[in-house]
Amino acid sequence: MSVVGVVVQLVVLIVLAPYLIGLMRQVRAVLEGRAGAGIGQPWRDLRKQFRKEPITPEGSSWVFAAAPVVLVASTLVIAAVAPFIATMSPLDGVADLFAVVALLLVGTVALALAGLDTGTAFGGMGASREMTVAALAEPTILLAGFALSARVGSTNLSAIAERGQQVPGDVLSPATLLAAVALAVVVIAEAGRLPVDNPSTHLELTMIHEAMVLEYAGRDLALVEFASALRLTVLLGLWANLFLPWGVATEASVGALLIGVVAFVAKVAVLGAVLAAGEVFMAKLRLFRVPELLAGSFLFGVLAVSSSFFLA
């Protein structure tokens, strides 16, 4: 049954990811007074792109072609091992904070190298900005994880989620609240959402993620877009199940898995809708202000770790 849980978890995340992007676009459209294309539009776009032939820029190497596959594969591994639907898994030993952060960084580095491999000014600019954001965001994820793992005595994500279910009072502790704020900012930065990045812009001076993927087309672009949607779903799911772990299945039964699926979909949908609604009322930060925002989240992470060890 634990293997079934992993399969169900992968299927749910793969199916849900494009719908999450569609939901967020629809929320923005409603708040902006537009009709919107519906929550299923990202899946229709992916289907159309998968039918098109990929185009490789002249002078690029295998790095450019391999980056979308590496990005999707690294995100799928996180989707398989992290406790999204259930905490019991044959891959539980791999669901470690350090492993998840490393896998996130693998995908980021692969896409940055692809941007550099094209030899274009936009690709190099986007890669430089992406690595700057990653260098400031990844340590904050570790600090937030340390703050949550201090009481558990383990950096295993499943153990942290189970602790949250067993001791609900920990959710309202100062260390947990500080870690939640720190990780929320990092999720926005890692997913390339406002105010750090604007996923719907193509203005040359403001692009980060889009600057690295301008040269992709066809199936390669579909893989990159799908990986971006899956990455956002994974990040929101991690935040939800680390700080709001209720509903995650802790036993191998059909009923528990069904509850886990419903709870996960509901939590991610609500978080995505809240994030999309917030983006309507905020503008993108200037690039030199982004490090200040991430430095502030790092400070929250440091305070969370200090509080967790002080109260432990």
Side-chain angles (χ1 to χ4, degrees), residues 238-265:
L238 281 175
W239 191 95
N241 284 356
L242 288 178
F243 300 104
L244 302 170
W246 300 286
V248 183
T250 56
E251 58 183 29
S253 67
V254 176
L257 286 178
L258 287 176
I259 294 174
V261 170
V262 173
F264 176 75
V265 172

Side-chain angles (χ1 to χ4, degrees), residues 68-118:
V69 179
V70 174
L71 183 61
V72 172
S74 60
T75 311
L76 282 175
V77 173
I78 300 175
V81 303
F84 295 111
I85 305 298
T87 57
M88 70 290 174
S89 166
L91 304 174
D92 183 63
V94 189
D96 187 82
L97 174 66
F98 293 99
V100 169
V101 173
L103 287 168
L104 287 172
L105 191 57
V106 165
T108 300
V109 171
L111 201 57
L113 290 176
L116 292 172
D117 191 53
T118 61

Side-chain angles (χ1 to χ4, degrees), residues 7-243:
V7 174
V8 170
Q9 183 167 289
L10 273 174
V11 171
V12 169
L13 265 77
I14 290 172
V15 173
L16 177 64
Y19 282 119
L20 175 63
I21 299 297
L23 173 65
M24 295 177 67
R25 291 175 181 173
Q26 192 67 25
V27 170
R28 292 195 60 173
V30 171
L31 292 177
E32 292 170 357
R34 298 183 285 110
I39 64 173
Q41 186 60 41
W43 265 120
R44 293 191 286 270
D45 293 339
L46 289 175
R47 183 177 59 186
K48 180 175 65 175
Q49 290 168 357
F50 271 118
R51 293 174 178 173
K52 294 183 178 180
E53 181 182 356
I55 299 175
T56 303
E58 184 178 354
S60 61
S61 67
W62 61 270
V63 173
F64 180 83
V69 179
V70 174
L71 183 61
V72 172
S74 60
T75 311
L76 282 175
V77 173
I78 300 175
V81 303
F84 295 111
I85 305 298
T87 57
M88 70 290 174
S89 166
L91 304 174
D92 183 63
V94 189
D96 187 82
L97 174 66
F98 293 99
V100 169
V101 173
L103 287 168
L104 287 172
L105 191 57
V106 165
T108 300
V109 171
L111 201 57
L113 290 176
L116 292 172
D117 191 53
T118 61
T120 63
F122 287 156
M125 177 188 69
S128 174
R129 292 176 175 180
E130 182 73 5
M131 294 312 299
T132 300
V133 171
L136 295 170
E138 302 291 345
T140 304
I141 301 178
L142 290 174
L143 287 175
F146 286 150
L148 297 176
S149 63
R151 295 189 181 93
V152 183
S154 171
T155 55
N156 185 274
L157 297 177
S158 297
I160 296 174
E162 289 180 354
R163 165 77 181 195
Q165 289 185 338
Q166 295 167 1
V167 189
D170 284 352
V171 176
L172 298 178
S173 67
T176 304
L177 295 177
L178 289 168
V181 174
L183 196 56
V185 175
V186 170
V187 167
I188 293 172
E190 284 284 334
R193 309 298 303 189
L194 289 172
V196 176
D197 191 14
N198 188 348
S200 60
T201 187
H202 283 85
L203 297 176
E204 292 86 350
L205 297 179
T206 64
M207 292 187 296
I208 298 180
H209 174 79
E210 292 297 323
M212 297 184 292
V213 304
L214 279 176
E215 302 297 327
Y216 282 110
R219 292 189 296 271
D220 289 341
L221 179 60
L223 286 175
V224 172
E225 294 297 331
F226 172 74
S228 298
L230 185 61
R231 190 182 179 96
L232 174 61
T233 307
V234 163
L235 289 169
L236 289 179
L238 281 175
W239 191 95
N241 284 356
L242 288 178
F243 300 104

